[in-house]
Amino acid sequence: MNQQYQARIYVTLRPSVLDPAGTAVQSGLKHLGYENVEQIRIGKYIELKLKAENELQAQEQLHKICDQLLANPVIENYRFDLQILEPNLVGLNP
Amino acid sequence: MNQQYQARIYVTLRPSVLDPAGTAVQSGLKHLGYENVEQIRIGKYIELKLKAENELQAQEQLHKICDQLLANPVIENYRFDLQILEPNLVGLNP
């Protein structure tokens, strides 16, 4: 039987890539009086559930999904963590 | 002396709010042949550094920053984690 996993994926701009949205937020924070905040970088956070035979297969599939659709490998990095879902929780909405 | 913290902030849509971007990604994955993926939700992931007297003060300030600028509390939830930066790493770019 397939096992269901909860995946949390973090997509971030590569350090060498400019982040205009982060700069805008930083400037907004300065306007609001927060002078002690710096190096803001804005990325994407993606949650999904996937079924796979085992954790290795789930990882392989997530790498493909990230490379093909979720991240642009030219300008973005990604990482993810996987959590096994207990069978009695599968199908329940969070 | 102020201590510098690395903050990682996760902004997610509330479960009751529709996520058209997540639905689009899910449909894209189905087109690519990934039938085993479901419940995709897309949020924001923000990294920043901030200086504060102590961790409690840093947490209070982050809550204000999230409520005022980074998250829309009507439709979004947020959570964050904080990591203290070693003094000899402060000022270094990652």
Side-chain angles (χ1 to χ4, degrees):
Chain A
M1 198 192 79
N2 275 353
Q3 178 60 54
Q4 195 170 31
Y5 295 87
Q6 172 74 53
R8 294 185 184 81
I9 304 157
Y10 312 89
V11 180
T12 49
L13 283 171
R14 287 180 186 270
S16 57
V17 177
L18 285 176
D19 179 5
T23 310
V25 167
Q26 178 140 8
S27 137
L29 286 176
K30 285 226 189 310
H31 265 283
L32 291 171
Y34 299 98
E35 301 281 347
N36 56 335
V37 180
E38 53 187 25
Q39 293 185 36
I40 305 185
R41 306 282 288 176
I42 299 185
K44 281 178 288 184
Y45 170 67
I46 299 145
E47 292 178 337
L48 58 83
K49 290 185 171 63
L50 89 165
K51 285 201 179 100
E53 294 287 334
N54 52 52
E55 189 162 336
L56 188 66
Q57 202 196 62
Q59 286 174 354
E60 283 174 0
Q61 208 154 48
L62 270 178
H63 279 298
K64 282 191 199 161
I65 287 173
C66 287
D67 286 328
Q68 286 182 31
L69 199 71
L70 298 181
N72 175 352
V74 179
I75 56 166
E76 291 172 327
N77 292 323
Y78 67 83
R79 65 178 200 279
F80 56 75
D81 53 56
L82 274 174
Q83 185 192 354
I84 200 160
L85 289 174
E86 295 299 323
N88 57 348
L89 293 176
V90 171
L92 285 184
N93 285 317
Chain B
M1 197 191 84
N2 276 355
Q3 179 61 53
Q4 196 171 29
Y5 296 87
Q6 174 74 53
R8 295 185 183 80
I9 303 157
Y10 313 88
V11 180
T12 49
L13 283 171
R14 287 178 185 269
S16 57
V17 176
L18 286 176
D19 179 6
T23 310
V25 167
Q26 178 139 9
S27 137
L29 286 175
K30 286 227 189 308
H31 265 281
L32 292 171
Y34 299 99
E35 301 281 347
N36 55 337
V37 181
E38 54 187 23
Q39 294 185 36
I40 305 184
R41 306 281 288 176
I42 299 184
K44 282 179 288 184
Y45 169 65
I46 299 145
E47 292 178 337
L48 58 85
K49 290 186 172 63
L50 88 165
K51 287 202 179 98
E53 294 288 332
N54 52 51
E55 188 162 336
L56 188 65
Q57 204 196 58
Q59 287 175 353
E60 281 174 2
Q61 207 151 49
L62 270 178
H63 279 299
K64 281 191 200 162
I65 287 173
C66 288
D67 285 329
Q68 285 183 32
L69 199 70
L70 299 181
N72 175 351
V74 179
I75 57 166
E76 291 171 328
N77 292 322
Y78 66 84
R79 65 178 200 278
F80 56 76
D81 52 56
L82 272 175
Q83 186 191 354
I84 200 159
L85 289 174
E86 295 300 321
N88 57 347
L89 294 175
V90 170
L92 285 185
N93 286 316

